[in-house]
Amino acid sequence: MGTISACIFDLDGVVVDTAKYHYIAWKSLANGLGFDFTEEDNERLKGVSRMRSLEILMEIGGVDLDEETQLKLAAKKNEEYLEYILKMTPDEILPGVKIFFEDLKAKGIKIALGSASKNAMTILEQLKLTSYFDAIVDGTHVSKAKPDPEVFLKGAELLGFEPANCVVFEDAEAGVEAAINGGMRCVGIGSPDILNKANFVVPGFEGFTFEKLESGLNK
Ligand code: BG6
Ligand code: MG
């Protein structure tokens, strides 16, 4: 694999913990439909698109809904989710993320976003992070969900680099697979048990540097 020219970041669970807000909004939807939705259930929605998340939720509750109702409920869930997102502040950026971005900038490494979320721009604006990104690819730009590599390949293309020169940061198994399917190296953010296909895994960005990235990939 080549030298590192760019780092592509997933958003939810990597840059910010939005899973808790997705959880509250999905749970109130499930409760409205008459069944419970636990935090453990919510784990299954990480990295998964909005409509696929609703399908999983319906599976959990054992309910069957027509397409029109599904679209309405997904929109309703998103309205509630947005209420929380619009209250977010830069304090919610996960520890070490901004320092790592600064380190990458200082080393001349390009930064891209590769997220399944259609709310990515809103979230980046709330966190005041938009200007750090040289390219942004989100759920409004792709037609295929992770583990398809489309979102990361588009990011690499926008930056003008080969996949072999890009490193992806991901907290979801499907995201790690998407990076590998795209011919990119991947750093897992979270637990090595779940993200075992990544080149290596770190619990978060606290104390993480470009030097540690290089040495971790060369091991
Ligand atoms: C991913 C999250 O980043 O985005 C998923 O991990 C979420 O949980 C997906 O379902 C789509 O998000 P949104 O904001 O478009 O509903
Ligand atoms: Mg994620």
Side-chain angles (χ1 to χ4, degrees):
M1 284 273 183
T3 50
I4 305 165
S5 305
C7 288
I8 308 181
F9 294 84
D10 172 48
L11 178 64
D12 297 312
V14 170
V15 172
V16 63
D17 175 21
T18 42
K20 55 185 180 221
Y21 303 129
H22 278 297
Y23 174 59
I24 302 171
W26 283 127
K27 190 180 168 69
S28 77
L29 191 87
N31 292 167
L33 289 169
F35 61 93
D36 197 21
F37 180 71
T38 65
E39 280 194 63
E40 202 186 329
D41 294 329
N42 194 52
E43 285 301 306
R44 290 180 60 192
L45 309 188
K46 288 190 178 169
V48 172
S49 75
R50 194 181 306 165
M51 293 315 289
R52 179 66 195 131
S53 295
L54 180 59
E55 276 172 29
I56 297 172
L57 190 106
M58 284 160 46
E59 211 179 283
I60 291 166
V63 293
D64 198 11
L65 305 163
D66 61 56
E67 209 184 315
E68 200 190 327
T69 313
Q70 286 183 36
L71 288 170
K72 262 191 210 151
L73 291 180
K76 191 174 157 211
K77 179 266 168 182
N78 198 54
E79 264 171 42
E80 183 170 346
Y81 176 64
L82 271 172
E83 279 177 31
Y84 294 100
I85 292 309
L86 291 171
K87 284 188 198 121
M88 279 191 344
T89 68
D91 292 345
E92 292 186 54
I93 300 169
L94 289 171
V97 168
K98 239 175 134 171
I99 296 172
F100 184 55
F101 282 0
E102 304 278 3
D103 189 29
L104 294 176
K105 291 262 171 231
K107 306 266 178 343
I109 308 298
K110 296 291 179 197
I111 299 177
L113 188 84
S115 167
S117 172
K118 293 186 170 161
N119 295 302
M121 286 309 300
T122 309
I123 296 170
L124 290 181
E125 288 292 316
Q126 286 296 125
L127 301 177
K128 304 206 185 316
L129 281 179
T130 315
S131 64
Y132 281 90
F133 291 88
D134 300 293
I136 293 175
V137 185
D138 66 22
T140 65
H141 305 118
V142 293
S143 55
K144 290 174 239 152
K146 300 171 188 176
D148 189 282
E150 185 184 12
V151 69
F152 297 135
L153 291 177
K154 279 203 166 167
E157 197 187 322
L158 281 174
L159 294 174
F161 293 121
E162 292 300 320
N165 301 111
C166 299
V167 180
V168 168
F169 292 83
E170 255 294 348
D171 71 312
E173 211 181 342
V176 173
E177 282 169 17
I180 296 167
N181 291 338
M184 298 181 189
R185 287 163 289 178
C186 185
V187 179
I189 305 295
S191 152
D193 299 336
I194 300 167
L195 306 174
N196 51 38
K197 290 186 189 141
N199 290 76
F200 69 96
V201 180
V202 290
F205 288 100
E206 236 171 337
F208 195 68
T209 58
F210 182 65
E211 207 180 324
K212 285 187 181 165
L213 172 62
E214 280 188 308
S215 69
L217 291 175
N218 288 329
K219 262 183 203 149

